[in-house]
Amino acid sequence: RIDAKIGEGGFGAVYRATHPLIGKSAAVKVLGRQFSSDPQMVSRFISEARSVNQIRHRNIIDIFSFGALPDGRQYYVMELLDGIPFDRYLRQHGPLPFATALPILRGIARALDAAHQQGIVHRDLKPENVFLVESDEGPPTAKLLDFGIAKLMREEGKEHKTRSGMAMGTAYYMSPEQCHGRNVDARTDVYAFGCMVFEVLTGKV
């Protein structure tokens, strides 16, 4: 049962939902109507769900169902997180002391390691795509989100295709080869992670 809209972006919206029988809460990401009629966008959307389910790591959002609504809009169901997006956290707190930043950055690094071990490159690592889950027992837990432009390196010919020479990502965090629209591997995530570490510790991109 859809309870409320909790977020909206360029490609669709996210809703808070509750299972009508067991009462478990979840988040439902729904692809916009105009994108659901685009085979390439649908492929990318489904690829994101597949990518995340292959990794299965505590520092990566858990997606456990996907499908299509009667009107053709694609959706998937994921865990509902209680906390704050990392970019908003940084705006509120400014540059983080090393002791505060380290457990957050370590969680992100472990998420990337797990993805790379499964042959998956995120390709859009940035604070906006990290969510901090609040904890009563210590520092917040980092959750890596949005594998929408991830690349499955080990399934040549099966991964989501983008137009030749098309750069995808966010400029401040993109490696040179990604900016040029070339093939990328795990090193492009390492580059983006370095950019993010700099921003976390200095307050500047």
Side-chain angles (χ1 to χ4, degrees):
R1 182 184 67 245
I2 299 298
D3 299 322
K5 182 186 287 186
I6 57 176
E8 191 166 14
F11 296 106
V14 179
Y15 300 86
R16 185 177 67 247
T18 305
H19 194 285
L21 296 179
I22 62 176
K24 182 178 178 63
S25 295
V28 180
K29 184 174 182 179
V30 182
L31 191 63
R33 195 181 309 275
Q34 68 273 34
F35 299 111
S36 291
S37 61
D38 181 341
Q40 188 180 43
M41 288 301 303
V42 172
S43 172
R44 186 180 304 165
F45 195 73
I46 294 173
S47 176
E48 178 174 6
R50 288 181 58 227
S51 298
V52 171
N53 275 317
Q54 284 187 23
I55 304 167
R56 296 190 178 277
H57 191 271
R58 68 183 299 269
N59 293 110
I60 295 176
I61 186 78
D62 185 22
I63 296 175
F64 43 85
S65 182
F66 67 93
L69 297 174
D71 63 5
R73 286 180 295 163
Q74 302 289 319
Y75 72 88
Y76 58 66
V77 185
M78 54 189 173
E79 62 179 318
L80 181 65
L81 303 177
D82 183 17
I84 183 173
F86 195 23
D87 59 329
R88 190 189 307 168
Y89 183 87
L90 291 173
R91 287 196 298 270
Q92 292 177 0
H93 293 83
L96 301 185
F98 184 74
T100 303
L102 184 59
I104 297 172
L105 294 170
R106 181 183 287 125
I108 298 168
R110 286 174 174 167
L112 290 175
D113 279 346
H116 296 164
Q117 287 171 13
Q118 293 296 323
I120 296 170
V121 183
H122 189 281
R123 296 204 295 177
D124 197 19
L125 181 64
K126 56 185 176 181
E128 183 182 346
N129 284 338
V130 175
F131 197 90
L132 301 184
V133 180
E134 298 172 351
S135 172
D136 296 329
E137 301 178 355
T141 300
K143 289 273 191 175
L144 186 55
L145 315 175
D146 200 353
F147 279 75
I149 61 171
K151 180 179 180 182
L152 302 175
M153 294 185 296
R154 293 179 182 170
E155 297 187 20
E156 295 183 8
K158 295 183 180 180
E159 73 271 8
H160 170 75
K161 298 294 186 183
T162 57
R163 291 192 295 272
S164 178
M166 181 178 178
M168 301 188 69
T170 303
Y172 284 133
Y173 311 94
M174 289 169 64
S175 64
E177 63 271 24
Q178 191 175 8
C179 290
H180 285 286
R182 299 171 185 163
N183 288 332
V184 299
D185 56 28
R187 291 172 292 183
T188 205
D189 284 345
V190 176
Y191 182 98
F193 182 72
C195 293
M196 193 162 67
V197 170
F198 182 90
E199 180 179 1
V200 168
L201 297 178
T202 69
K204 301 176 183 179
V205 291

